[in-house]
Each structure stands twice: as structure tokens, then as C-alpha cells.
Amino acid sequence: MSEKIKLAIQKSGRLSNDSLKLIQECGINVNNGKGKLTSIAGNFPMEFLFLRDDDIPGYVADGVADLGIVGKNVLLEKGKNIDVVKNLGFSKCRLSLAIPKEKEYTGIKYFDRVSIATSYPKILQEFLDKNNLTADIHEISGSVEIAPNIGLADAICDLVSSGSTLFTNGLKEVEVLMHSEAVLVGSPNMNAAKKEILERLLFRINAVQTGEKNRYILLNAPNDSLDKIISIIPGMKSPTVLPLAIEGWSSVHSVIGEGEFWEVIENLRAEGAQGILVVPIEKMVI
Ligand code: ATP
Ligand code: ZN
């Protein structure tokens, strides 16, 4: 049997959909039917393990899985010796300290000798030590945000993205311990065949990510402003310029960064460009 790489992804939760989407965008078929714990890709040498996210760093560290997709927060909390192969840019959130919103926040010393509920005791303890604070850590595995309301703790240390969960529980965020996003982690002990499969996977992930960060732009331009227009949208190598059926006009095609297109469009219009189309790119290989 030829070598396969084993990728551990979260069975169900906030990471699952985006992890599966990334794999599918890489052209890899994944069948995660209900209740399945493992499956094999039909068209790529990859096997999947569907696990709780907390277990993923351990499985990768032990070599049961070669790769895993997990939040940086869980990776840091578990403290396993595995490599971050790639930042994946989704499931962005932060691990923060929050207190009841009616309390006055006086600075970091607020947390000296208070009780704090969290699912991240290791990261929290390191933060307290670094700031010479003593606090009583209550480790709980879920619904941390209700702890102050039920009298279990004075404050919480939990994941935040929009802050709406904190708000509905009468809490306010006062310190950020870390920023997190999903990462691809890998075992440091992969054999040569697995490393080669990983390279193929990374090539595809890069093509997906580069595609997402760029847009394809098409426009019509009067020939006498072509030089200026080309200098605004230089493209990957150089823009494609095709003559239009109307005399004196050309169609220009190029690629621009996702974050810059409004400014680029304004500059193009100022140079006489018309009929500007900006379309998403599915994959991009530079
Ligand atoms: P499991 O059952 O697998 O243990 P869980 O309940 O521990 O799941 P989820 O709530 O699904 O975990 O969160 C998984 C990961 O998603 C978190 O570790 C974090 O990296 C990220 N995450 C958590 N909360 C948010 C959020 N509000 N916004 C974006 N990403 C988040
Ligand atoms: Zn979990």
C-alpha cells in the first residue's frame, strides 16, 4: 500500500466547516458522514481522523496523526512539541480576561487575589506569573462565561471574537492574553514520503490562499492612456492587452490585491478606464 498522510480535524465545532472547506478547495474529497471517526480521500494520499480539538495536539505529538488543524490557543494550552506548518487565517479569536461590566477596571493588578474561571489554566497561569499576580484558577471545560453570574468566580479568561457572548452575560473584556487562528500543525517525525505529500498539500493551500487574497480585473481603456493604466495594475508578469473591435480601445486584464481594489478602481477611472469588472480568483499559482 502506498503511503498516506493522516490529517486530524475537529469532528464538530467551530473549526470543522472551515477545515473541511479548505481541504475541498485543495481538490481533496473528504467524506465525513455522520458518526465517522476516520475516512480516506478518494483522490489524494490522505486519511482523516475526526477528533475533539483538545485531543489533536496530543495525537500529532504521538505520531498517531501526521498533521492536524487546531486553534493556536489549544496548541499553546496543550504545550506539545509539534511544528506549526502554516497559519490558516480562519477561526480568528483572542483569549481574554473579562470582568463584570459594572466593576471599575483599575489595570492588571485588578487580577491579584481574585478567582478566575477558564478552560485555559496553563496559558492563564503563565500570564499571571509573568505579571507577578496570584489568582485562584477554576478550571472548567465549558460555559465559562456564566461563572461570575453563578458566583463561581470573580472573572473569566475565555475566547472572544465579537464580544457578544460577554455582553449578554454582563461582562466586559479588559485584557487580551493572546490572538489565535487555526493553524496546520505537523509531527516533526514524518518520513520522506509523507513530507512529499505535505509539500503537495502546502502547494495547494498556498494557491487557495493567494487566490483569496487577489482579484482578477478586466477593463476597457483608450489606447492613449494604456501606459498609465498598465502602471496602475502591473499584474503578475504584466497585464494582458487585447484590441477591442472599436478602433482606439483595448481590453486590459490583470490581477490586483483584494485590499487595494477600491483605490485602484478610482485611479483607473481617473485615467479613462471603463467597463471595469473585478472577479474572484479560485486558485492562483505564482
Ligand atoms: P470540541 O468538542 O472539539 O472539544 P470545543 O467546544 O472545545 O470543541 P469550539 O467551540 O468548537 O471548541 O472551538 C474550537 C476552536 O475554534 C477554538 O479552540 C478556537 O480556536 C476557535 N474559536 C473558539 N471560539 C471562537 C470564536 N468565538 N470565534 C472564532 N473562533 C473561535
Ligand atoms: Zn475542545
Side-chain angles (χ1 to χ4, degrees), residues 216-221 226 229-230 233-244 250-255:
Y216 191 66
I217 184 165
L218 304 87
L219 57 91
N220 297 327
L226 270 180
I229 282 179
I230 288 169
I233 45 171
M236 284 201 278
K237 231 188 195 82
S238 90
T240 308
V241 180
L242 303 163
L244 287 191
S250 297
S251 167
V252 182
H253 301 197
S254 191
V255 169

XYZ file of all heavy atoms in Angstrom, residues 216-221 226 229-230 233-244 250-255:
201
model
N -9.210 39.250 -10.002
C -8.919 39.398 -11.420
C -9.662 40.644 -11.898
O -10.829 40.831 -11.573
C -9.425 38.155 -12.150
C -8.970 38.044 -13.574
C -7.628 37.859 -13.878
C -9.891 38.105 -14.626
C -7.214 37.752 -15.194
C -9.473 37.997 -15.938
C -8.132 37.820 -16.204
O -7.711 37.723 -17.502
N -8.983 41.511 -12.607
C -9.625 42.760 -13.041
C -9.575 42.867 -14.572
O -8.554 42.559 -15.189
C -8.988 43.990 -12.331
C -9.709 45.276 -12.713
C -7.492 44.125 -12.601
C -9.388 46.462 -11.806
N -10.708 43.253 -15.153
C -10.803 43.446 -16.609
C -11.381 44.841 -16.835
O -12.288 45.254 -16.108
C -11.789 42.461 -17.248
C -11.627 40.961 -17.054
C -12.310 40.493 -15.794
C -12.231 40.246 -18.247
N -10.863 45.536 -17.833
C -11.401 46.866 -18.110
C -11.130 47.258 -19.552
O -10.309 46.639 -20.232
C -10.752 47.890 -17.172
C -9.233 47.981 -17.211
C -8.743 49.006 -18.229
C -8.726 48.356 -15.819
N -11.860 48.257 -19.999
C -11.618 48.829 -21.325
C -10.908 50.157 -21.158
O -11.253 50.936 -20.264
C -12.940 49.050 -22.060
C -13.653 47.729 -22.315
O -13.000 46.701 -22.517
N -14.968 47.749 -22.292
N -9.899 50.396 -22.018
C -9.115 51.631 -21.870
C -8.840 52.242 -23.232
O -8.589 51.520 -24.204
C -7.796 51.308 -21.190
N -3.062 53.794 -22.171
C -2.645 52.433 -21.794
C -1.422 52.418 -20.882
O -1.382 51.668 -19.903
C -2.332 51.619 -23.060
C -3.511 50.847 -23.666
C -3.052 50.094 -24.906
C -4.150 49.909 -22.652
N -2.383 53.273 -17.379
C -3.241 52.235 -16.790
C -2.412 51.002 -16.432
O -2.564 50.407 -15.357
C -4.418 51.932 -17.748
C -5.425 53.065 -17.574
C -5.047 50.571 -17.458
C -6.634 53.028 -18.400
N -1.500 50.644 -17.297
C -0.647 49.480 -17.025
C 0.226 49.726 -15.790
O 0.479 48.817 -15.002
C 0.196 49.135 -18.278
C -0.725 48.535 -19.337
C 1.326 48.158 -17.950
C -0.102 48.377 -20.701
N -1.939 48.868 -12.728
C -2.213 47.439 -12.491
C -1.132 46.586 -13.165
O -1.363 45.972 -14.207
C -3.630 47.046 -12.985
C -3.954 47.622 -14.380
C -4.687 47.470 -11.997
C -5.231 47.079 -14.982
N 0.045 46.515 -12.524
C 1.160 45.825 -13.178
C 0.955 44.319 -13.360
O 1.582 43.713 -14.215
C 2.346 46.104 -12.245
C 1.764 46.543 -10.951
C 0.409 47.090 -11.220
N 0.079 43.669 -12.528
C -0.205 42.252 -12.736
C 0.911 41.336 -12.291
O 1.879 41.764 -11.671
N 0.767 40.042 -12.583
C 1.744 39.047 -12.134
C 3.048 39.169 -12.903
O 4.115 39.183 -12.349
C 1.166 37.640 -12.286
C 0.150 37.318 -11.202
S -0.084 35.562 -11.005
C -1.223 35.199 -12.293
N 2.948 39.182 -14.224
C 4.130 39.425 -15.051
C 3.949 40.786 -15.685
O 4.733 41.689 -15.491
C 4.235 38.337 -16.124
C 5.600 37.709 -16.165
C 5.804 36.775 -17.302
C 7.044 35.928 -17.066
N 6.761 34.789 -16.185
N 2.879 40.897 -16.454
C 2.443 42.187 -16.989
C 1.001 41.968 -17.431
O 0.586 40.823 -17.634
C 3.349 42.600 -18.146
O 2.843 42.122 -19.353
N 0.206 43.006 -17.547
C -1.203 42.783 -17.901
C -1.350 42.243 -19.323
O -0.448 42.410 -20.154
C -1.823 44.179 -17.810
C -0.791 45.069 -17.235
C 0.532 44.414 -17.400
N -2.475 41.583 -19.584
C -2.811 41.173 -20.946
C -3.525 42.354 -21.601
O -4.449 42.914 -21.008
C -3.791 39.977 -20.895
O -3.224 38.992 -20.060
C -4.074 39.422 -22.264
N -3.120 42.718 -22.809
C -3.791 43.816 -23.521
C -4.289 43.282 -24.863
O -3.510 42.737 -25.640
C -2.823 45.003 -23.744
C -3.522 46.130 -24.490
C -2.271 45.502 -22.404
N -5.599 43.372 -25.066
C -6.200 42.866 -26.308
C -6.943 44.002 -26.995
O -7.588 44.807 -26.318
C -7.221 41.762 -25.984
C -6.694 40.558 -25.202
C -7.849 39.783 -24.598
C -5.881 39.675 -26.120
N -6.869 44.082 -28.326
C -7.599 45.165 -29.010
C -9.116 44.934 -28.946
O -9.574 43.802 -29.021
C -7.101 45.064 -30.452
C -6.567 43.681 -30.593
C -6.133 43.209 -29.245
N -9.875 46.005 -28.755
C -11.338 45.903 -28.859
C -11.731 46.036 -30.332
O -10.936 46.497 -31.157
C -12.004 47.029 -28.062
C -11.985 46.952 -26.544
C -12.924 48.021 -25.965
C -12.432 45.583 -26.051
N -8.665 49.299 -26.021
C -8.153 47.964 -25.709
C -8.832 47.432 -24.456
O -9.322 48.197 -23.622
C -6.641 48.006 -25.439
O -5.971 48.429 -26.609
N -8.795 46.101 -24.332
C -9.252 45.454 -23.096
C -7.989 45.066 -22.325
O -7.061 44.502 -22.896
C -10.059 44.212 -23.482
O -10.248 43.413 -22.345
N -7.957 45.419 -21.028
C -6.776 45.130 -20.211
C -7.202 44.173 -19.096
O -8.217 44.398 -18.429
C -6.202 46.434 -19.583
C -4.944 46.135 -18.759
C -5.907 47.468 -20.664
N -6.430 43.076 -18.909
C -6.719 42.092 -17.854
C -5.520 42.019 -16.924
O -4.383 41.952 -17.379
C -6.915 40.683 -18.430
C -8.012 40.571 -19.427
N -8.561 39.373 -19.788
C -8.675 41.516 -20.147
C -9.513 39.563 -20.686
N -9.584 40.861 -20.927
N -5.787 41.995 -15.616
C -4.668 41.882 -14.682
C -5.157 41.343 -13.340
O -6.318 40.963 -13.193
C -4.002 43.250 -14.528
O -2.794 43.112 -13.833
N -4.252 41.319 -12.366
C -4.572 40.826 -11.026
C -4.218 41.921 -10.027
O -3.164 42.545 -10.138
C -3.754 39.548 -10.730
C -3.852 39.158 -9.269
C -4.245 38.395 -11.604
